[in-house]
Structures are given as C-alpha cells and as structure tokens.
Amino acid sequence: MAAAWQDVVRDAAAVREAAAVAVDAALLAGVLMRTGEQPNASDVVNYAPFTLLPSAVPRALFEQAYAVQQDFNLLVDAVSQNREFLEQTLASTIKVDDFTARLFRIYKQVLEEGLAQTVFLGINRSDYMFDCGLEGTAALRQIEINTIAASFGGLTSRTADVHRLVLNVLGKSEEASQLLPNNPAKGLALGIAKAWELYGSQRAVVMFLVEDVQRNIFDQRCIENELWNRRIRVVRKRFRDVFEQGSLDASRRLYMDGQEVAVVYYREGYVPQVYDEQNWEARLLLERSRAVKCPDIATQLAGTKKVQQELSRQGTLEKLLPGHPEAIARIRATFAGLYSLDEGEEGDRMAATAIADPDRFVLKPQREGGGNNLYGEELREVLEKIKDSPERTSYILMDKIRPQPALNYLLRAHSPLQVSECISELGIFGVYVRQGRELVLNRAAGHLLRTKAIEHADGGVAAGVAVLDTPFLV
Ligand code: ADP
Ligand code: MG
C-alpha cells in the first residue's frame, strides 16, 4: 500500500506541532474516554487514543467492504432464524465451552416457550484486514463479524474532522478535502429508532444495557443523544439493575420499575466474566420479553467464531441464502481460510498442520473482546497439549492475514510521541430491522478504521492496543 505521508512522517518538528493540534482537536470534537482511575466519573477525561495521520486504504477494497455489508446483514439474520443450523454448528462447541453452552440453553428455552419478540434489530460490524499477496496486490479478508456490542461507531463519527485539521496543519489541504464524511452514530440510532417505532408504544424507553465499568461512555452517548434528539427516551442500566428492577407482565412486556422498555441495546454481555447467577437470570428475563433485543440471543450466537468457520464450508452459504447467488459470491470473496478442529480426521489433519507451521495460522477460542487468540509458539504449545482432547473443539483455526505495515504515530495520553510501524483493520457497521418475516431496513451505516503497532498480534481499542484512525483512500 502506498506510504501516503512519506515526506512528513520523519519531520520531527512538523509532527510535534501537528500532534499538539491534533490532541486539542480531539478533545474539542469529543473523541473522549474516561480515565482508568475514574472510569465512572466524567469530571476529568482523556482523549481516546488515535493516529496522528489517516492511514492509506485501497479504494477498491473499501468499496468492496461497503458493497458486501447488506449481504452480511442478510446472512446474520438468516443464521439467527435457522435453529437447525445453529444446533448442528454449535453442538461440538457447547460440549466443551461452558459460556457458549449457557447462552445456547437460554436460546433453546426461549424458543420452547415461544418468542414474544416480533421486531428484530441487528447492529453488527464486519471487520477486515488487507491481506498482502505475493504479487503485492492487497485483498479484503474478513477477520470476524461482531453481532453484539460492536463499539466505536460514536467516537469514530468525530475522528475524520480531527484528521482533516491535522492534514491542513501539515500543508496537505488537497488530501484533507478528500477525507470521507462518516457518521455511524446517526446510522445506528436510525436503526434503534425504527425498532422503537415498530414496537409501537410512545411511552416506552430504549434501554442501553451497560457495563459496571463505563470508560467508553462517550462512544455510547453519541448514539444516545441522537435518540434524545428524536424524542426517544433513553435509560442506562446494568444487568444488576435488571435483576433488581425488571419484570414482565402477562403479555411479556418488559418493565423496569414500572417503566416499559421497547428496545434493549446490549453494550455488555459478551464475556463470561460479567455473568454471575443473578445476571444470568436477568439475561433470561430480557430474552423472554417482548422487547426488541439488539441482538437477540440467536443473533449473538450467529456471531460466534464457530459459526464463522462453518459458514466458510463449501455449500453452507447456498443452504442459508437460497436464491441469492450474487450475495453469496460477494460474501465468499471476503473469507480467509477457516478450519474446524472438531474431533475426527479433518480436525486431526489441521491440528498437525498448524503444529508444524504455527506462523501460518491464528488459533481462536469462542471469545470476544480482544486478547484471546493464540499465535506462533504459543499456538503450537497449546495445540500440542490439547490435540488429543475434546478441548480442541472449543477453538477454530484461521489463516493469518498479513497486511503491509505503514509508519504512523499512535497518540495516547501520557505516552511519548514516537513513530511506529502500523497495520489497520477496517470495520463496516451494518444495521437492519425485521418485523416478523419482513426486512424493513437493511443498510451499511458507516465505517471504523482501527490501527495498531505491528508488535501486537491481537486486541482492539478498548483493550488498549489499537487506536482510532480515518481511512485515506488511495
Ligand atoms: P475478538 O472477538 O477478540 O475481537 P478477533 O477475531 O477480532 O477477535 O481477533 C482479535 C484481533 O486479532 C483482531 O482485531 C486482529 O488484530 C487479530 N487477528 C484476528 N484474526 C486474525 C487473522 N486471521 N490474521 C491476523 N490477525 C488476526
Ligand atoms: Mg475483533
């Protein structure tokens, strides 16, 4: 990929000046995070980490990622409604992975009772890296699709303005004018508002289900404030609050201390650590309710890494999306090599291949949130240990994507200004609303570019590894 800012990236004086302007611009624009010391107070806040310079992204791949997003929305929605597929695909995983098993139990329980929910809202983010082929042409490769709590759509709605200013300061006004507008906050709020409207009760609120530790609150506020401006009331509650205040009426409408809830937007609930028995009970209450869950538990399961791996198997997409050959072709063109480690010949062969050549692969457990994958020597050691045990099936194996690094500066509060070799990950937000069987909204809602230094194999912005960025199309 073109090194876009070759002339300025080594100019120490220009970089120092631009960085000072950039940090203040981020604060002014609201690219903010609470501090680790005071994660639940807004008295003193920091800028969220971001790159000094926008990163070059090949225009064709950027457009490809946008063009396939509605297809991915359709696919996730189809998987979430296909009980047979989810049961078969996750059968081996739930034998060994307690967290997925527990989610699955709730899924089955609500199906057996009969769904009260009739309106469905999906907000997802499909993440990609640009794989550098031998001939030097980059290809779009999906890393994963996040179907629950996909974050940074709010803050990233404000980063393009910051980078535009930085480029102006660096004497690159022509390039500054080419940065694309981007407003996922608005697009996601539109989906939530549509779901709220179809739920059909003016009095009912949208409930953001939030973490105990709320460092990333400003990202969520961007979406909340869009809803308030549409005169939709928003409340922020934790699982614990649901356990204490939540109830269902005879038609399974959800109430929080007497206040009806139309939409539950989860920004929490995707890692096992948050669930004690009371929080599991709260989750079950929400899933049984008529409220629109974003996502419902079936859609959360549709986003598991095991499902991703099975989707790449020959013939699976054709079964899930009959009558959509073009969508299938667009989706498949983004897949990297994905391999099952289930018990049997195929799994044995892949385990042996990965042990022999660990640098070719990434080993992934059924977890979200960054920092869980295994690479290189560690991958080899773990696979050696579990290769003959059922535990192997709690992982999938994926080809490692190798993007072309570029120089940039990662601006973080209290960190020295230094140049790093960086790679980027592009996310496209998707939003859809379904009423009964009819899809009434299906769109791409904006993008997120995250960039990290190459020494980190894993991890996102919240994990403290990647930072916010803006694509500069080349
Ligand atoms: P999580 O659910 O934890 O976000 P991901 O599948 O997104 O799991 O992996 C976390 C990070 O690991 C990604 O953001 C990316 O930086 C890196 N990663 C994941 N898969 C690959 C891959 N196949 N090749 C290279 N890097 C990868
Ligand atoms: Mg990820």
Side-chain angles (χ1 to χ4, degrees):
M1 223 168 296
W5 320 113
Q6 239 160 356
D7 52 336
V8 288
V9 78
R10 295 286 192 188
D11 181 341
V15 162
R16 230 182 357 259
E17 185 197 351
V21 174
V23 165
D24 289 343
L27 291 163
L28 282 171
V31 184
L32 302 173
M33 253 185 180
R34 284 177 173 167
T35 64
E37 295 74 45
Q38 286 189 296
N40 288 332
S42 295
D43 300 79
V44 175
V45 298
N46 274 333
Y47 59 94
F50 66 103
T51 58
L52 176 64
L53 299 160
S55 291
V57 167
R59 182 183 300 272
L61 303 190
F62 184 82
E63 286 169 359
Q64 184 188 353
Y66 262 96
V68 72
Q69 187 55 46
Q70 285 172 309
D71 305 324
F72 272 117
N73 290 346
L74 205 63
L75 177 62
V76 170
D77 191 43
V79 170
S80 79
Q81 295 175 80
N82 194 323
R83 177 174 181 168
E84 194 191 349
F85 175 75
L86 281 175
E87 270 180 354
Q88 278 177 8
T89 300
L90 295 173
S92 56
T93 308
I94 62 178
K95 280 191 203 139
V96 286
D97 187 277
D98 292 340
F99 179 57
T100 311
R102 193 83 195 245
L103 292 171
F104 197 79
R105 239 163 68 199
I106 294 182
Y107 166 66
K108 286 196 52 169
Q109 196 174 337
V110 295
L111 277 185
E112 266 142 42
E113 185 181 21
L115 291 184
Q117 182 177 348
T118 57
V119 177
F120 297 82
L121 165 65
I123 291 179
N124 63 60
R125 199 189 67 222
S126 182
D127 290 338
Y128 307 89
M129 281 182 169
F130 315 112
D131 197 20
C132 219
L134 290 176
E135 329 79 64
T137 52
L140 188 73
R141 289 286 166 258
Q142 186 181 51
I143 296 295
E144 64 159 346
I145 189 156
N146 303 281
T147 60
I148 181 166
S151 58
F152 292 104
L155 295 187
T156 202
S157 300
R158 292 148 185 246
T159 49
D161 284 347
V162 177
H163 285 119
R164 199 170 295 117
L165 187 78
V166 168
L167 291 184
N168 279 326
V169 168
L170 289 168
K172 302 202 171 287
S173 312
E174 181 53 39
E175 290 88 343
S177 69
Q178 292 166 24
L179 293 182
L180 299 172
N182 183 35
N183 200 344
K186 195 163 194 158
L188 304 189
L190 185 97
I192 297 172
K194 186 75 195 168
W196 175 85
E197 181 195 317
L198 292 175
Y199 178 87
S201 167
Q202 287 288 328
R203 293 178 315 274
V205 299
V206 171
M207 178 164 83
F208 280 44
L209 204 288
V210 298
E211 318 93 303
D212 291 336
V213 174
Q214 298 171 35
R215 268 197 85 180
N216 202 19
I217 190 169
F218 300 109
D219 183 52
Q220 299 162 6
R221 292 285 197 211
C222 293
I223 302 166
E224 283 176 55
N225 295 355
E226 291 279 347
L227 293 168
W228 283 110
N229 286 338
R230 289 167 177 268
R231 302 192 190 161
I232 297 172
R233 299 186 64 80
V234 180
V235 296
R236 299 174 58 85
K237 300 283 181 184
R238 302 159 308 159
F239 273 121
R240 184 57 28 120
D241 303 319
V242 175
F243 178 78
E244 286 166 2
Q245 305 161 17
S247 63
L248 305 185
D249 73 5
S251 59
R252 283 192 269 158
R253 290 179 180 275
L254 173 65
Y255 291 86
M256 291 288 288
D257 272 346
Q259 168 76 72
E260 187 175 357
V261 177
V263 179
V264 180
Y265 174 43
Y266 289 104
R267 293 295 297 253
E268 164 76 311
Y270 52 91
V271 293
Q273 296 85 313
V274 311
Y275 289 101
D276 56 16
E277 281 311 309
Q278 294 186 339
N279 290 357
W280 278 120
E281 229 174 275
R283 179 74 198 255
L284 177 61
L285 182 90
L286 297 176
E287 294 304 322
R288 290 184 57 230
S289 79
R290 177 179 292 268
V292 182
K293 273 78 65 182
C294 179
D296 68 336
I297 198 146
T299 306
Q300 180 175 357
L301 289 169
T304 52
K305 297 192 165 59
K306 183 63 191 174
V307 165
Q308 180 189 7
Q309 174 257 304
E310 281 300 315
L311 290 175
S312 76
R313 205 182 275 286
Q314 205 61 44
T316 304
L317 292 177
E318 284 76 3
K319 278 195 205 120
L320 290 164
L321 293 177
H324 293 277
E326 286 160 4
I328 288 171
R330 282 189 295 266
I331 289 171
R332 186 165 288 131
T334 68
F335 284 169
L338 287 148
Y339 313 96
S340 165
L341 289 172
D342 283 4
E343 289 176 282
E345 207 181 308
E346 182 193 353
D348 290 345
R349 185 161 37 80
M350 282 321 298
T353 308
I355 286 168
D357 195 358
D359 283 329
R360 255 185 64 198
F361 301 99
V362 181
L363 183 63
K364 299 190 174 188
Q366 308 303 314
R367 289 291 172 272
E368 304 292 330
N372 301 300
N373 301 335
L374 299 167
Y375 305 81
E377 260 322 296
E378 206 181 351
L379 179 159
R380 187 206 299 269
E381 271 165 38
V382 168
L383 257 190
E384 277 284 7
K385 206 162 4 160
I386 61 172
K387 69 178 196 297
D388 298 317
S389 101
E391 202 194 328
R392 189 177 86 186
T393 61
S394 66
Y395 292 86
I396 63 149
L397 205 57
M398 183 174 183
D399 281 344
K400 191 166 165 182
I401 309 307
R402 299 171 193 281
Q404 177 73 49
L407 296 181
N408 209 329
Y409 293 81
L410 308 183
L411 304 180
R412 271 199 187 88
H414 311 299
S415 296
L417 185 62
Q418 65 188 40
V419 71
S420 308
E421 271 198 88
C422 299
I423 54 175
S424 301
E425 185 169 345
L426 174 70
I428 307 292
F429 287 96
V431 52
Y432 59 89
V433 177
R434 173 165 53 82
Q435 186 170 35
R437 304 209 69 78
E438 192 200 350
L439 213 51
V440 294
L441 187 149
N442 178 8
R443 307 191 171 180
H447 55 269
L448 166 72
L449 192 71
R450 293 173 299 165
T451 292
K452 65 182 183 183
I454 51 170
E455 36 300 0
H456 297 285
D458 211 290
V461 179
V465 172
V467 309
L468 302 171
D469 198 349
T470 297
F472 177 73
L473 301 190
V474 293

